[in-house]
């Protein structure tokens, strides 16, 4: 009951893997969401331009955190590497 799908452009799959790595690391370190989104934006821009991602600076006054879910499986279409490790 699954299907492995690859995008016609391998760069899209590479960007998806990079974004997954960014989000997984951010979740494990409880990083501020605004900083995580900045990292994703830098990764997307680097993928489009073919340039290195560069450094993303921490946001000095990020404000209130967005609400989160307590169930790790609820929001994910694919399990993360850390979720798969327990299987």
């Amino acid at each position: 009951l699954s299907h492995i799908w690859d995008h016609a452009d391998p760069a899209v799959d590479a960007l998806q893997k990079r974004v997954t790595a960014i989000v997984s690391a951010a979740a494990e370190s409880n990083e501020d969401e605004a900083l995580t989104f900045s990292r994703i934006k830098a990764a997307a821009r680097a993928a489009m331009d073919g340039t290195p991602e560069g450094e993303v600076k921490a946001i000095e006054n990020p404000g209130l955190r967005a609400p989160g879910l307590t169930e790790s499986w609820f929001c994910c279409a694919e399990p993360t590497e850390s979720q798969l490790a327990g299987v």
Side-chain angles (χ1 to χ4, degrees):
L1 297 174
S2 67
H3 174 73
I4 296 175
W5 180 80
D6 292 319
H7 194 278
D9 182 353
V12 174
D13 289 328
L15 178 59
Q16 182 271 329
K17 288 177 181 165
R18 179 67 186 125
V19 170
T20 298
I22 291 169
V23 172
S24 293
E28 287 179 18
S29 67
N30 201 28
E31 180 176 85
D32 181 73
E33 292 88 357
L35 180 55
T36 304
F37 280 111
S38 293
R39 291 185 198 285
I40 293 169
K41 184 177 178 180
R45 180 166 288 134
M48 288 184 346
D49 298 343
T51 59
E53 284 182 37
E55 187 177 332
V56 176
K57 295 180 182 179
I59 297 164
E60 289 185 29
N61 218 356
L64 297 174
R65 290 185 67 110
L69 299 172
T70 57
E71 300 292 335
S72 62
W73 56 266
F74 186 77
C75 64
C76 303
E78 296 180 14
T80 63
E81 293 295 325
S82 61
Q83 290 169 332
L84 283 174
V87 177

